[in-house]
């Protein structure tokens, strides 16, 4: 059995930063995001009863490090739900720059969740697929529904993502550095929670911001959405920089993009900047303004325009006579 799924990354309008339960990947607060329609991840899962171990190939390279361990642990969850002990060969093509703060793990584990659930014969609702994806990577829970979505805080049953009403929006991604960051998000979250004096205020303020953002989305108030988005991003980075030793993801070029976006607003072009845990900056704007915003930011880095992205979905599901061992060796 081979199942193939495609998922897209999402960029948080209200950030997820910090877990209430690391084992279950339960967030300390809710969050709100917009899915992108660029940087898709395509993942195939082939069941291989004769194998003793899972195999993982990413972008044509056989993976045998910590990334394989994460995939194996995730597949163990799927196998437990399915009552199966069959191993799997996972082949993934990820067009998101990995580890650069552009949600590569979100699209990666969302695609893996959809493909693996189908391959192992699970019939999961979108809510339960979102819950499953969460166990691989927290932000992956928001790549399942697509569009603008809210990820609810709560216990294992209540913590999932669902689409919410919102006005038409677009994003312009400014890739300043597509290399992996020196300190990964998981370690940075752990250090922030343990050492940043600003973290308790981050949790309490973000809880309020989620409610404000959902109200702004429901009202179609783009200006309020943008203001909340930029403010929340800067609060998150201030909280991270308050850790000890400090962690600084934004560099001088990142700050220059924030300044350029502020200058746009001063000239009447409404746009708002945000950044996840990395140096790259994403600019929120109205769809009719995205080309102008992209042109204004050309020169700061590689610029890519994006509309609102689709839900994660299955693109192929079929029995196969191919030998999974051969598929692994030729990938």
């Amino acid at each position: 059995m081979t199942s193939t799924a495609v998922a897209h990354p999402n960029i948080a309008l209200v950030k997820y930063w910090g877990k209430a339960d690391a084992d279950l990947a339960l967030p300390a607060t809710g969050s709100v995001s917009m899915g992108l329609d660029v940087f898709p991840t395509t993942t195939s899962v082939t069941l291989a009863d004769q194998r003793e171990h899972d195999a993982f190939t990413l972008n044509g390279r056989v993976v045998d490090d910590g990334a394989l361990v994460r995939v194996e642990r995730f597949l163990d969850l799927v196998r437990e739900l399915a009552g199966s002990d069959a191993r799997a060969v996972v082949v993934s093509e990820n067009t998101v720059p990995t580890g650069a703060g552009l949600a590569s793990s979100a699209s990666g584990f969302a695609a893996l969740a959809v493909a693996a659930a189908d391959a192992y014969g699970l019939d999961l609702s979108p809510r339960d697929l979102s819950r499953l994806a969460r166990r691989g990577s927290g932000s992956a829970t928001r790549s399942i529904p697509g569009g603008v979505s809210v990820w609810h805080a709560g216990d294992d049953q209540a913590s999932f993502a669902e689409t919410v009403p919102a006005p038409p929006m677009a994003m312009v991604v400014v890739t300043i550095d597509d290399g992996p960051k020196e300190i990964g998000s998981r370690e940075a979250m752990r250090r922030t929670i343990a050492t940043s004096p600003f973290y308790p205020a981050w949790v309490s303020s973000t809880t309020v911001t989620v409610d404000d953002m959902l109200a702004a989305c429901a009202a179609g108030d783009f200006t309020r959405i943008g203001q909340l988005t930029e403010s929340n991003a800067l609060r998150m980075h201030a909280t991270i920089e308050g850790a000890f030793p400090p962690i600084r993801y934004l560099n001088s070029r990142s700050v220059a993009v924030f300044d350029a976006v502020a200058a746009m607003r001063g000239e009447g072009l409404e746009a708002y900047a945000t950044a996840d845990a990395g140096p790259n900056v994403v600019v929120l704007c109205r769809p009719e303004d995205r080309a102008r915003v992209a042109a204004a930011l050309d020169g700061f880095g590689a610029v890519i325009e994006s509309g609102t992205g689709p839900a994660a979905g299955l693109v192929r599901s079929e029995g196969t006579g191919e030998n999974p061992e051969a598929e692994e060796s030729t990938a």
Side-chain angles (χ1 to χ4, degrees):
M1 181 68 188
T2 295
S3 299
T4 302
V6 174
H8 292 75
N10 65 83
I11 299 297
L13 307 177
V14 180
K15 304 297 187 188
Y16 151 57
W17 194 256
K19 296 181 176 72
D21 185 314
D23 290 337
L24 294 175
L26 299 176
T29 70
S31 59
V32 181
S33 71
M34 175 181 147
L36 303 180
D37 64 7
V38 295
F39 297 139
T41 297
T42 303
T43 298
S44 295
V45 175
T46 301
L47 299 194
D49 289 325
Q50 72 276 24
R51 292 188 63 92
E52 294 184 2
H53 303 284
D54 298 312
F56 177 36
T57 299
L58 176 63
N59 294 341
R61 181 181 69 86
V62 176
V63 177
D64 58 5
D65 56 14
L68 172 61
V69 174
R70 288 184 69 184
V71 168
E72 288 178 323
R73 288 176 179 170
F74 186 81
L75 291 174
D76 285 342
L77 293 172
V78 178
R79 283 188 279 261
E80 182 179 356
L81 289 171
S84 171
D85 58 4
R87 294 293 165 174
V89 174
V90 178
V91 178
S92 186
E93 292 293 330
N94 193 353
T95 62
V96 192
T98 301
L102 288 173
S104 60
S105 64
S107 58
F109 276 98
L112 180 59
V114 174
D118 183 74
Y120 281 93
L122 296 174
D123 184 16
L124 300 182
S125 66
R127 171 175 175 160
D128 286 338
L129 273 174
S130 180
R131 291 177 53 240
L132 176 61
R134 188 195 77 223
R135 301 292 296 274
S137 173
S139 57
T141 194
R142 297 185 309 236
S143 281
I144 295 294
V148 175
S149 65
V150 57
W151 174 15
H152 302 286
D155 62 17
D156 182 37
Q157 292 295 321
S159 186
F160 65 97
E162 60 182 338
T163 303
V164 297
M169 294 186 290
M171 286 183 164
V172 175
V173 181
V174 184
T175 304
I176 292 169
D177 185 348
D178 62 4
K181 54 202 177 193
E182 183 177 344
I183 300 174
S185 295
R186 290 192 174 201
E187 167 58 21
M189 279 189 193
R190 185 201 64 77
R191 191 186 303 179
T192 302
I193 294 169
T195 67
S196 177
F198 309 133
Y199 185 72
W202 160 258
V203 172
S204 60
S205 66
T206 300
T207 300
V208 174
T209 303
V210 168
D211 290 339
D212 290 345
M213 179 65 78
L214 292 177
C217 286
D221 187 344
F222 175 77
T223 297
R224 182 64 172 158
I225 292 169
Q227 291 170 340
L228 291 169
T229 295
E230 189 165 294
S231 172
N232 185 257
L234 293 173
R235 287 180 179 183
M236 184 189 77
H237 283 277
T239 303
I240 296 170
E241 290 178 13
F244 185 83
I247 301 168
R248 185 180 179 189
Y249 284 126
L250 301 180
N251 59 31
S252 59
R253 291 171 64 194
S254 311
V255 174
V257 175
F258 272 80
D259 289 344
V261 172
M264 286 182 206
R265 292 199 297 271
E267 296 169 359
L269 179 56
E270 193 171 12
Y272 300 88
T274 186
D276 285 347
N280 302 306
V281 181
V282 181
V283 181
L284 181 71
C285 61
R286 292 185 172 90
E288 60 268 27
D289 293 334
R290 61 190 254 184
R292 291 176 61 200
V293 170
L297 296 174
D298 187 33
F300 287 95
V303 176
I304 296 178
E305 300 175 35
S306 175
T308 303
L314 201 65
V315 295
R316 183 165 64 99
S317 177
E318 59 185 20
T320 177
E322 295 177 359
N323 183 349
E325 296 281 358
E327 180 176 350
E328 178 194 8
S329 65
T330 59

